[in-house]
Structure formats: structure tokens, C-alpha cells
Amino acid sequence: MTLAPAPIEGAAGPGSGNRVPRPIPRHVAIIMDGNGRWAKQRGLPRAAGHRAGAEAVRRALQAAADHGVEVLTIYAFSSENWRRSTEEIADLTALMRFYLEREIKTLDKEGVRLRLIGDHSAFGGELVDRLEKAVERTASNDRLTLVIALSYGSRAEITAAARRLAVKAAAGEIDPASIDEAAIGAELQTAGLPELDLLIRTSGEQRLSNFLLWQAAYAELLFVDTLWPDFDEQTFAEALKVYAARERRFGGRGSAA
Ligand code: FPP
């Protein structure tokens, strides 16, 4: 992949061919849905849909970088995806390993920091090793953070955070009365990331599917009909335009937060 130079004043850089109005969301998350349907429409195996989906990840990352988005979080594998066939899980694992192997050098060179949420250790073997090395290698990069959700489930994430706080309270390390939203946020795997501004789901489905439930509290939600493998820089730019046109109220009456 080639990531363009950082954009100036929110204008799209080379590669996107689009200018989008401000504000640009700092943190965008995507539920990448529709790989299977894309493949079926073409009489191809599901694995071909996932391969095409991996190319769409490159385009989304490129577009995010072009527009100056700080964090892109992608739902690559949910904790419920373990219910899929052994063959499909093996295909997805191999594909992610291949993607990392092929892209890591460029991602690092272009200042992309990789972060993981979920329980990536559930994959075992070489993928875990490669993921952890990639996280380590890119740890000091600061141009754009790519967060990959792997074996991720939001309820499990919130439950684990609550349990950790309960353990601290039981040990007398914290006062239960001091547990506020910030304390819970600090225990989530997304701690330290900017608030989620925009959550996109492709393929026409309108569900959150246990993705970033806490983090999406005030995010703008956007459901697009595009199947994930067809997602490109243009789709991303359109999403940013919709975002810029929405008035965010954060429960109040004005647009500022
Ligand atoms: C949902 O489509 C997609 C997934 C469960 C997997 C997402 C994975 C990728 C895009 C590929 C690789 C990722 C990286 C990080 C390189 P679906 O299979 O549920 O589609 P369907 O609803 O049409 O069946």
C-alpha cells in the first residue's frame, strides 16, 4: 500500500480524489460486512470474498490517512465468529497472516501504529506471534492508529472492566464510590484512544453486533448498502461528508461538545 502525505486543513490528499468538508472525525470504526454475499453474487467461494475484503481494508486505511483521520478501528473477527466453519476460520487466519506479512513494512514506514482489541491470543500459533511483533514494531508511530478487533466482543470487554474494578475495590485499592464513567473507560481496551465519532456498517445490515457498545454512546452511526469488498476511497469520502453534515448534540441542544 502507499499512504499519501498527511493532508493539510482537512482537505483530501492524493489518492482519494475527494474533498470533504470539516469536521473530520478523529476516530472512525467500521463493521466490515458483506464479504460472503459479494462472493456468492459472483459464484465464488466465501474465501474469495474475504480476500477482496482485505483489499478493501487497504483502501479504507489509505482513505483514512488521506483525510487525516487519527484512528481507524476495524471489526475483523468477532467473538461470535468462532461459530463459523473450521475451514472459513482457517481461511481468515491465513489471510490476516498474509496481510500482515505483506503490509507491515509499509505500515511502519508510513507511521501507522497497530493496536489490537479483543482476545487475539485465541488464534494461537503464527498469527499471534506476527500480530504481537507488528504491535511492538509500530508502537512509536503516531500518524494514524489502526485498531484491529480480533475475537472481540463488547459485552465481554465491559464485563472484564467491571470485574477488574470490583477486584480493586474488594482489595481496598479504590473506593467503589469513585467508580465513574472515566474509570470504566480507562479499563476498556480502547483506553487512551479518542472518543469514537463515526461508526460505519456496510452491506445494509443495521446492527452493532456487540461492537464498541460503550464507545458508540455518542458516535454517529452510518449504515451503507455497499458490500465490504466494494468499499473504496469514494465510499469513505461519502461517509465523511454525511458525518460533516450531521449536527452532533451529545444530549444537549447545541452542536458543540
Ligand atoms: C463479514 O462478512 C466479514 C468478516 C467476518 C471478516 C472480515 C475480514 C476481512 C475483511 C478480511 C481480512 C481482515 C484484515 C484485517 C486483513 P461476512 O462473511 O459475514 O459476509 P456475509 O454477511 O455477506 O456472509
Side-chain angles (χ1 to χ4, degrees):
M1 72 181 296
T2 45
L3 291 175
I8 300 157
E9 287 297 299
S16 75
N18 279 288
R19 281 181 175 276
V20 302
R22 295 187 148 240
I24 298 289
R26 293 180 69 194
H27 185 172
V28 177
I30 308 181
I31 301 176
M32 311 181 289
D33 198 7
N35 294 352
R37 276 162 283 169
W38 183 92
K40 195 171 177 194
Q41 283 173 5
R42 288 161 179 76
L44 296 169
R46 294 179 63 80
H50 294 317
R51 273 200 301 279
E55 293 308 312
V57 169
R58 299 173 79 218
R59 293 193 294 271
L61 188 60
Q62 178 74 59
D66 285 350
H67 291 286
V69 168
E70 291 171 45
V71 181
L72 179 68
T73 300
I74 55 172
Y75 206 5
F77 197 92
S78 75
S79 42
E80 288 75 28
N81 284 154
W82 292 110
R83 294 187 201 132
R84 296 196 175 196
S85 72
T86 318
E87 188 193 350
E88 185 169 358
I89 292 170
D91 283 342
L92 276 166
T93 307
L95 181 61
M96 287 189 277
R97 223 173 43 219
F98 173 74
Y99 177 89
L100 270 183
E101 189 180 334
R102 194 186 60 182
E103 304 289 344
I104 189 59
K105 214 168 156 186
T106 315
L107 293 177
D108 187 30
K109 198 170 84 185
E110 297 293 342
V112 175
R113 177 179 186 181
L114 184 69
R115 221 172 125 159
L116 304 171
I117 57 172
D119 178 19
H120 69 277
S121 68
F123 286 91
E126 213 187 316
L127 177 59
V128 173
D129 189 49
R130 220 161 259 186
L131 282 164
E132 290 175 357
K133 284 204 174 104
V135 168
E136 214 176 293
R137 175 174 175 163
T138 61
S140 57
N141 292 342
D142 60 4
R143 176 160 165 221
L144 185 149
T145 300
L146 173 66
V147 183
I148 307 184
L150 283 170
S151 193
Y152 173 86
S154 191
R155 286 184 173 182
E157 180 193 27
I158 296 168
T159 305
R163 195 181 301 120
R164 274 194 298 276
L165 288 169
V167 167
K168 286 184 194 170
E173 290 169 27
I174 57 167
D175 176 359
S178 74
I179 299 174
D180 55 10
E181 292 185 8
I184 293 175
E187 290 290 340
L188 297 176
Q189 294 182 312
T190 49
L193 295 174
E195 287 284 331
L196 180 60
D197 296 310
L198 173 64
L199 190 149
I200 303 167
R201 182 174 188 144
T202 59
S203 90
E205 304 291 336
Q206 304 195 1
R207 289 186 295 282
L208 293 184
S209 298
N210 203 13
F211 188 49
L212 302 178
L213 302 180
W214 175 282
Q215 296 84 346
Y218 290 104
E220 292 296 326
L221 307 183
L222 182 61
F223 301 101
V224 298
D225 288 336
T226 312
L227 298 176
W228 177 249
D230 291 326
F231 192 96
D232 61 10
E233 289 84 352
Q234 180 73 34
T235 329
F236 195 90
E238 289 301 326
L240 295 189
K241 282 180 199 163
V242 171
Y243 173 83
R246 288 196 188 168
E247 188 188 2
R248 301 186 77 195
R249 293 178 188 271
F250 300 95
R253 299 182 63 214
S255 60

